[in-house]
Structures are given as structure tokens and as C-alpha cells.
Amino acid sequence: MVKLDIHTLAHHLKQERLYVNSEKQLIQRLNADVLKTAEKLYRTAWIAKQQRINLDRLIITSAEASPAECCQHAKILEDTQFVDGYKQLGFQETAYGEFLSRLRENPRLIASSLVAGEKLNQENTQSVIYTVFTSLYGNCIMQEDESYLLQVLRYLIEFELKESDNPRRLLRRGTCAFSILFKLFSEGLFSAKLFLTATLHEPIMQLLVEDEDHLEIDPNKLIERFSPAQQEKLFGEKGSDRFRQKVQEMVDSNEAKLVALVNKFIGYLKQNTYCFPHSLRWIVSQMYKTLSCVDRLEVGEVRAMCTDLLLACFICPAVVNPEQYGIISDAPINEVARFNLMQVGRLLQQLAMTGSEEGDPRTKSSLGKFDKSCVAAFLDVVIGGRAVETPPMSSVNLLEGLSRTVVYITYSQLITLVNFMKSVMSGDQLREDRMALDNLLANLPQAKPGKSSSLEMTPYNTPQLSPATTPANKKNRLPIGKENFSYGFPLNMFLY
């Protein structure tokens, strides 16, 4: 009897061991699938952001970037492949991996270096800013990267905006490090896309249905939209009282339609305040808190800067170009609708400034038909509350428990980043963080990275990437274009 019980026990233990081993193998396969999918996500995100930067380069600076050049660059990006960094960096890979790892973990040093580079008029500052976001912080896909970047933005408020003689003008130009990083961050933030879609989709679709006429409220510009024959047909003889009366009637009609449209946008804005991204709210509140302590800045001017950041840099671009932000995808936007969207955006900004001395005199009559605090109240909700020092953690972290083990950076981006840091170090604009940067650069090889001198022939615009991994035996793959080579470099010391 005892022997039978022992035999049964041994049988059950054997079955349990087989079951446990089977479950372990299954978990290992699932983990491998997750890592493979994550790697695909990182690559796709890198290429997508490079494509977006390439598109913005064409749209915003078309004089410097021809359509043919941008199309060629887009094609190269589509053909991007990834190679291990050590294949191009050799034994130097470890040193550069350590450099990027320590730099990534020092948001203050990154912010102070970018500001110092701008003061020194370094021509590669903008490209370094892009590298910081797309490579060093991996497009902020991971929560840890997002937290680091938020700290970079906070330090930029302190080092760049707070120290500027005219911070609002600096912010409005959109070319400073803070403006560029904020734009890159807000465009890729998933919670921001949810908020913009929830807030703007319905009112924009309604506007597209009612896009028969330009909602022009400036009488002079309204008249210019019609030929002399059309003016006489619509308004009568030019210069007559009837002409002026008819023009004013059309202006009043357009104004009434525009007010109704803007009220719809404001209604949806209030309705969806609850889902405004916590990360962006933290940035705006940090700006308000930091700049309010500056003696030379009035509270009204600080509110105006927060308004510029919130509306001019985040909401209104999505209002004017909803298709670029994925708010609408199946509805074409003609010239009339685009103009009306621009009118809505302009009025929203003017409403947010109600109470300050600023204001467009052409929209004063329109603004008088709104609740004076309709948009300003939304700003109060965003900047209100306790401004905590620690960046907020995402409430919905779909990648919880996953670590990024690779950094994608092109060979030219790596060279540019290192040379930029060396130039900042040799300048006189870096003070408190000078020692930290000196220690960082001291461990880099003096020679240019790479096994072959042929790397020096690589064009700057060619996509080249470089990953970084914690385990030394982990393989890192970097992109290579089929037409022009691009190199990725594994960074062994990245501790994710």
C-alpha cells in the first residue's frame, strides 16, 4: 500500500514537473515574441518620426529643402535596415554606449548643453535636439524616457525661458530648444492624440459640412475676395450707402456663423478637459510656476505664454491641420474649410487672452459675443492645482514591465552629438554642469569612431542608427539604407 502511494506520488510529481517546464517554455516564447514586437515598434517609431521631420522640413523650410531632395530622403528612410553598432564602432562601442547612457540619465546636463549651444550659435543645435528626442529618448515610447524628457523641458524653462529678456517672443518663434522639444513630444504623445481627437473631431466635421463660404469678418478683405462684377452684383455700386450696408450685413452674417462654430469648439474643449494629458498639464504648470517668480514678468504676460504654449503650440495647429494629427482621415479639406479653421483657431487664441491688454482690434466685436472667461477658464484648470516637482506617471502604461534595450542613432548623428558636446565644453556658456560634461567626454576615444575611414564619406542626410543594450552579449541592430549606408550602434551600458 505504501509502495503504491509512493508510486502515485512520483507519477504526479513527474506530471507536475512536465507541466511546469511546458509553462516555462511557453512564457519564454511569449517573452521572445514581446521583445521582437517591441523591437519592431522602436524601429517603426524611429523611421516614422524621421519621416515626419522630413515632411516638416519640406513644408516649413521649403526654400532650403527641395521636394526632390525630401522625396529622396523619404525613399532612403523607407529602405532603412538595421545593423549592430559594434560592426561599425568596433571596440569603441562600449565607450560610446556608456556616454549615451550617462547622458540620457542627466536631463539637467542635456538642457544646459542645448541652451549653451544656442548661445554659441552652434549650427547643428537643431539636429542635436532631434537626436535627443528620437534617439536618446526613443521618441518617448517608454515611460522612463517620457519622465526624463519632461525633466529636460522643465530645466529648459529654467535655463532658457526664465533667463531670456523676452521669453514670450522666444517661445513664439518656435525655434528655441524648448519649443522644438515640446512640439516633438506633444505630437507623439498618445494621450495627447486621444484628447485632440475627442475634442476636435466632432466640431471639425460639422465645420466641413458647412464650408460653403469664407467666414471673413474683415470688411476690406471680404470685398477683395470678389471681382468688381461680383461686388456690384452682391453689394451694388461701390462707395454707395447700399454697398456699405450690404457688406456689413455679410460681415455680420459671417460673424454669427463663426461665433456659433467657435462655441461648438469651446463646448467640446470644456467637455473633454478631464482627459487633458497629465504630462502636458505638468509642463504648463511648471512654466507658470517658474516664470511667475520672475520679477520683470507680469502675471498677465506669464498667462499669455502659457496660452501660447497650450493653444498656439498644441491645440490650434491640430485645428488648422487636423489630418496631420489623425483627427480626421476620410474627409477632404478644401481651401474654404482651411480658411474657416484658421479663423476658429485665431478666435480661440484671442479668447484665451481676454482680460489681458493684447488683442486683435479686428476681432473685438466678435469677442464681445462670447463668455469672457470661456477659454481662460480652461487655462486656469490646466495651470491650477499643486505644481509637483516629480513628472507625472502615465495613468495607462501599456508597456509596463518592458525595458528598452536599444538606441537607434545614425553614424552622422552620433558624430554630430559628440562634436556638439565638445564645442559646448570648449565654450564659456556652461557653468555648473561643466564638470559633469567634462567627466562624460573624458571617457570617449580621441579618434573618430568607426573601423573604416570610408565612414567619413557617409552623407549627413543618410539614415543611420545606433542601438544600445544592457547585456554585453545582447545584439543591437541599426538601420542601413540600401542606396546609402546608415549605421546603428549598440550601446552596451544602457541600463533600462
Side-chain angles (χ1 to χ4, degrees):
M1 186 66 179
V2 175
K3 289 184 178 180
L4 181 61
D5 290 341
I6 294 176
H7 178 75
T8 303
L9 177 60
H11 175 73
H12 284 304
L13 290 176
K14 183 178 180 180
Q15 292 297 319
E16 288 181 10
R17 186 180 65 179
L18 292 174
Y19 174 74
V20 170
N21 289 337
S22 174
E23 290 298 301
K24 284 182 177 179
Q25 291 173 5
L26 177 60
I27 292 174
Q28 288 173 353
R29 287 197 299 269
L30 291 175
N31 281 335
D33 291 341
V34 169
L35 292 176
K36 188 180 295 184
T37 303
E39 185 179 6
K40 183 178 179 181
L41 172 63
Y42 301 144
R43 294 180 181 185
T44 303
W46 187 90
I47 294 174
K49 180 55 73 172
Q50 298 297 327
Q51 293 280 27
R52 181 61 183 265
I53 293 173
N54 186 44
L55 176 62
D56 289 343
R57 183 164 162 257
L58 174 63
I59 296 174
I60 300 173
T61 60
S62 56
E64 300 177 7
S66 66
E69 180 185 349
C70 291
C71 287
Q72 182 185 16
H73 190 53
K75 174 62 176 173
I76 293 174
L77 286 169
E78 289 177 2
D79 294 336
T80 297
Q81 296 176 343
F82 299 83
V83 298
D84 293 343
Y86 73 86
K87 292 181 179 179
Q88 300 302 330
L89 293 179
F91 69 92
Q92 296 177 347
E93 178 220 11
T94 302
Y96 283 98
E98 174 71 14
F99 166 75
L100 292 179
S101 175
R102 291 171 59 190
L103 183 62
R104 169 184 176 268
E105 295 169 354
N106 196 336
R108 178 189 173 95
L109 177 59
I110 291 175
S112 59
S113 298
L114 292 177
V115 174
E118 289 180 328
K119 291 179 179 178
L120 293 170
N121 295 319
Q122 290 290 319
E123 59 179 7
N124 291 324
T125 301
Q126 188 170 12
S127 63
V128 169
I129 295 172
Y130 288 140
T131 300
V132 166
F133 182 80
T134 60
S135 299
L136 212 55
Y137 292 123
N139 295 299
C140 289
I141 295 176
M142 304 302 297
Q143 192 171 64
E144 187 179 20
D145 290 318
E146 180 180 325
S147 178
Y148 278 132
L149 187 77
L150 288 173
Q151 294 179 56
V152 173
L153 288 169
R154 184 188 66 181
Y155 283 120
L156 284 174
I157 293 173
E158 182 178 346
F159 299 154
E160 186 172 48
L161 299 182
K162 186 178 178 181
E163 299 300 323
S164 173
D165 295 332
N166 193 334
R168 191 178 184 195
R169 183 174 62 185
L170 183 66
L171 188 66
R172 279 187 160 184
R173 284 177 183 169
T175 56
C176 66
F178 177 85
S179 297
I180 296 173
L181 271 181
F182 179 83
K183 180 176 183 292
L184 291 171
F185 177 65
S186 60
E187 285 178 348
L189 191 63
F190 181 68
S191 56
K193 294 179 181 179
L194 289 179
F195 170 76
L196 291 175
T197 303
T199 302
L200 301 178
H201 180 268
E202 201 62 35
I204 287 177
M205 292 302 294
Q206 293 179 22
L207 183 146
L208 296 182
V209 174
E210 305 166 3
D211 65 350
E212 298 178 359
D213 303 308
H214 291 84
L215 299 183
E216 179 62 77
I217 56 177
D218 185 322
N220 296 327
K221 292 184 178 180
L222 177 66
I223 295 173
E224 292 175 358
R225 291 193 173 275
F226 301 101
S227 65
Q230 290 175 320
Q231 291 179 22
E232 186 173 357
K233 181 179 179 180
L234 291 171
F235 311 123
E237 184 180 353
K238 191 169 185 178
S240 64
D241 292 338
R242 181 174 178 273
F243 182 90
R244 287 189 291 270
Q245 181 182 354
K246 288 290 185 180
V247 169
Q248 190 58 46
E249 287 177 0
M250 182 170 286
V251 168
D252 293 340
S253 175
N254 289 345
E255 192 176 77
K257 293 178 182 178
L258 191 57
V259 167
L261 277 173
V262 174
N263 275 325
K264 289 179 184 177
F265 278 83
I266 293 172
Y268 280 96
L269 193 63
K270 291 180 177 179
Q271 182 179 329
N272 292 283
T273 302
Y274 72 93
C275 65
F276 188 83
H278 294 297
S279 300
L280 300 187
R281 178 176 296 184
W282 185 81
I283 294 174
V284 178
S285 62
Q286 287 293 322
M287 173 183 284
Y288 185 78
K289 172 190 172 184
T290 302
L291 298 183
S292 295
C293 299
V294 180
D295 294 336
R296 67 179 183 277
L297 295 178
E298 300 290 338
V299 175
E301 188 174 358
V302 176
R303 284 182 60 88
M305 291 183 62
C306 293
T307 301
D308 289 339
L309 187 65
L310 193 60
L311 290 173
C313 301
F314 176 55
I315 295 177
C316 289
V319 171
V320 177
N321 298 297
E323 66 273 39
Q324 291 186 17
Y325 290 80
I327 297 171
I328 61 171
S329 57
D330 54 352
I333 299 181
N334 58 29
E335 187 269 335
V336 175
R338 185 79 66 192
F339 175 82
N340 293 340
L341 287 171
M342 292 174 66
Q343 290 286 78
V344 169
R346 187 158 61 91
L347 269 179
L348 286 173
Q349 292 185 60
Q350 289 293 319
L351 282 169
M353 295 308 303
T354 300
S356 68
E357 296 181 359
E358 273 195 45
D360 188 340
R362 296 172 298 179
T363 60
K364 282 188 176 179
S365 61
S366 301
L367 296 177
K369 300 180 181 180
F370 292 97
D371 177 5
K372 299 295 182 184
S373 62
C374 55
V375 180
F378 172 72
L379 177 63
D380 290 334
V381 171
V382 174
I383 65 176
R386 188 167 59 93
V388 296
E389 291 296 324
T390 307
M393 301 297 285
S394 176
S395 57
V396 180
N397 184 13
L398 301 178
L399 302 176
E400 185 176 0
L402 190 64
S403 298
R404 180 163 66 95
T405 59
V406 64
V407 163
Y408 296 102
I409 185 170
T410 70
Y411 178 80
S412 59
Q413 286 173 343
L414 180 62
I415 296 299
T416 301
L417 177 61
V418 172
N419 289 340
F420 175 84
M421 290 299 180
K422 289 180 178 179
S423 298
V424 169
M425 186 65 196
S426 62
D428 59 352
Q429 296 298 327
L430 206 60
R431 296 191 179 97
E432 297 180 14
D433 299 292
R434 190 177 187 84
M435 183 176 295
L437 182 57
D438 187 32
N439 293 335
L440 212 57
L441 294 173
N443 296 323
L444 289 181
Q446 295 300 317
K448 192 173 182 180
K451 290 182 178 181
S452 170
S453 60
S454 63
L455 291 178
E456 300 180 13
M457 303 298 293
T458 304
Y460 175 77
N461 286 330
T462 302
Q464 309 161 334
L465 312 180
S466 149
T469 63
T470 304
N473 60 350
K474 190 108 174 180
K475 289 188 176 180
N476 303 293
R477 294 176 175 79
L478 308 170
I480 285 192
K482 291 181 180 177
E483 298 178 10
N484 296 316
F485 286 106
S486 63
Y487 308 94
F489 310 97
L491 314 173
N492 292 329
M493 300 307 297
F494 264 63
L495 305 176
Y496 292 121

